[in-house]
Amino acid sequence: MRASLPPGPSIHPLIQGVGLWSRPLAYLERLRARYGKRFTIQFPFTVPFVMITEPDQVREIYTAPADVLHPGEGARVLEPIVGLKSVILLDEGAHLEQRKLLLPTFHGERMDALTDLVTEVTEREVASWAEEPEVALHPRLQALTLEIILRAIFGLEEGDALTALRTRLARLLSYGDNPLTLVPDPSPRQLEILDRFGPIKGFLTTRKEVDQLVFEQIDRRRREGGGGADILSTLLEARHEDGSEMSAQELRDELMTLLVAGHETTASSLAWTFARLAREPTVLARLTDEAGAGEDDAYLTATIQEVLRRRPVLPNTAPRMVKQPIEVGGWLYPAGVCLVANAYLLHHDADIYPDPYEFRPERFLERPPGTYTWIPFGGGRRRCLGASFALLEMKIVIASVIKTYGLQPAGRVVEMPRRRNITVRPEAGAAVRLERRAALPVAA
Ligand code: HEM
């Protein structure tokens, strides 16, 4: 068994960081070609990150005991927005407790109620899109997914409260565009300095304004009593094991977590979908036929699975901090390094997916995605809590857009991946030509 770390580049950590930030996927490919299927990257001021890209090793990571690997510690960069009580930042017992409180949110009847809301918001927004010969869809999809998640969380109707939350939150989330927000573990003092000068000036002020609006919603809803179909209502009914309700701070942190985790990820995944569909007329035609026939949505599901395979928007999923030495694939990792199940490299391994760079939804009709070979939503006890909501939302948005518009590519070149917030999105924001269609024939 080997105890040192797998090989990796020896250039300065800053250059490795710039490489991954500026060419998030190509850089990973280059390192795999050079160092093999597991390699180590080092960024400035962080622990080493070991990239794991083989299914057996991914399984070992996802099934490791909770006290051995800590994904919560690996996600610290999100703390300034989501807060210390966020399920994403916690580990072991504290994580399980928050996860149990959140689980009912996206289950059964709750999901049915959210389906109506997502459909209503999507159809209204998509129908109102201005028809332009050439348009970058990503900003529209961001506005749409923000609207959906905001309405799903707070159950608010159009009005001052929704407008105030929408504008402040959009501003708060836009700070994530800057690599400086990825400074690991900023101390309160560092944050204060960053708030006064430079590119994330005003961050703390905006966060305070957002917090005030969120706490107002929590107070108002507590006074009025729950009972709605929205996520806040579900969480107000949730109880800890000792029977106590969630505190206002816990509610605030989990609501912010759902906003942050659920908005940009889905917007970027949808952006990749439309950027791709505009260049795949055969796939688009089959999807349009399926939508017109109104029978099942197997091909739409397979198309989404293929988009998430080709472009997992969190290619490094959540890094796991090693707390106690662990053996993975015959290699012993010491405490203090981060293990990363790398979705992008796993999804582009010709031993798992023949012709991995080809876009072919049919592959998922032939064989459904595997737990440890298809990981856009991560896995194990940390698997994305909103995965079924995200898939539902993507289906509704894609169906609505292709029923309303014809899609063509706007430029001649395929869009390169660029980092935005925590996700990887198409460089030109999914530039397409939209043309409003005549209504599709209604299924008998
Ligand atoms: C296409 C859209 C989405 C993608 C690709 C995605 C992906 C991910 C990934 C990779 C993780 C880390 C999993 C791991 O480390 O094993 C995660 C965690 C999480 N996601 Fe998502 N996500 C999406 C949408 C959503 C939505 C819509 C919500 C909620 C509204 C959501 C809520 C969460 C939460 C709460 C966690 C933390 C789970 C935990 O730590 O226990 N996500 N997501």
Side-chain angles (χ1 to χ4, degrees), residues 2 45 59 74 77 83 97 107 119-120 133 140 146 153 193-194 196 263 298 327 329 341 402-403 426 436 440:
R2 323 240 306 258
F45 315 117
R59 178 176 41 76
V77 290
E97 186 167 359
H107 270 254
T119 309
E120 178 210 313
R140 294 183 183 192
L146 183 60
I153 287 182
I193 295 171
L194 287 172
R196 263 186 275 154
H263 152 62
E327 190 203 319
I402 63 174
K403 272 193 243 173
R436 200 174 282 272
L440 284 178

Side-chain angles (χ1 to χ4, degrees), residues 88 95 99 106 149 261-262 265 269 318 320 376-379 382 384 386 390:
I88 279 193
H95 167 256
R99 199 167 158 106
F106 300 115
I149 192 74
T265 44
S269 301
R320 269 77 169 152
F377 295 110
R382 307 299 295 225
C384 175

Side-chain angles (χ1 to χ4, degrees), residues 154-381:
F154 297 106
L156 287 169
E157 290 302 324
E158 208 47 72
D160 292 347
L162 185 62
T163 308
L165 266 167
R166 187 192 295 129
T167 43
R168 303 288 191 305
L169 267 168
R171 197 183 315 148
L172 187 67
L173 296 171
S174 72
Y175 283 104
D177 283 354
N178 194 292
L180 267 184
T181 52
L182 295 184
V183 171
D185 282 333
S187 66
R189 180 76 196 125
Q190 282 169 324
L191 258 188
E192 251 173 60
I193 295 171
L194 287 172
D195 187 52
R196 263 186 275 154
F197 312 100
I200 62 167
K201 192 168 161 219
F203 171 77
L204 287 183
T205 318
T206 311
R207 187 177 69 180
K208 208 185 281 169
E209 289 170 1
V210 168
D211 283 358
Q212 200 179 337
L213 293 168
V214 172
F215 284 127
E216 270 169 29
Q217 287 302 319
I218 295 171
D219 282 352
R220 184 181 64 83
R221 201 59 78 70
R222 278 227 163 99
R223 280 196 314 273
E224 290 171 3
D230 52 88
I231 294 172
L232 178 52
S233 298
T234 314
L235 293 185
L236 284 172
E237 285 164 22
R239 292 292 176 267
H240 289 280
E241 255 154 39
D242 65 3
S244 60
E245 50 184 34
M246 292 174 78
S247 69
Q249 189 64 44
E250 270 180 301
L251 286 166
R252 177 266 173 218
D253 287 0
E254 296 309 5
L255 297 178
M256 288 304 291
T257 301
L258 297 178
L259 278 161
V260 170
H263 152 62
E264 189 62 46
T265 44
T266 316
S268 297
S269 301
L270 283 166
W272 282 119
T273 308
F274 294 117
R276 174 59 72 171
L277 289 182
R279 290 176 188 279
E280 301 282 348
T282 320
V283 176
L284 189 56
R286 187 162 171 189
L287 282 176
T288 314
D289 286 350
E290 188 183 80
E295 280 157 11
D296 70 6
D297 58 11
Y299 195 67
L300 177 55
T301 305
T303 303
I304 294 172
Q305 287 162 341
E306 180 69 342
V307 170
L308 295 177
R309 180 189 73 82
R310 283 289 280 120
R311 289 288 179 256
V313 295
L314 299 176
N316 305 311
T317 58
R320 269 77 169 152
M321 176 73 82
V322 178
K323 298 306 286 181
Q324 300 173 36
I326 177 175
E327 190 203 319
V328 177
W331 204 296
L332 184 67
Y333 296 100
V337 307
C338 262
L339 300 184
V340 177
N342 193 290
Y344 177 78
L345 292 178
L346 183 74
H347 292 177
H348 292 82
D349 183 337
D351 294 337
I352 305 170
Y353 294 101
D355 304 318
Y357 300 95
E358 242 169 57
F359 185 81
R360 212 171 59 80
E362 288 73 10
R363 66 173 93 232
F364 289 114
L365 294 178
E366 291 150 16
R367 183 192 290 201
T371 313
Y372 303 112
T373 50
W374 186 80
I375 57 163
F377 295 110
R381 66 175 69 76

Side-chain angles (χ1 to χ4, degrees), residues 28-39:
L28 287 171
E29 299 256 19
R30 219 176 73 197
L31 295 183
R32 176 170 63 181
R34 176 119 192 238
Y35 300 103
K37 287 194 183 180
R38 65 183 142 193
F39 54 88

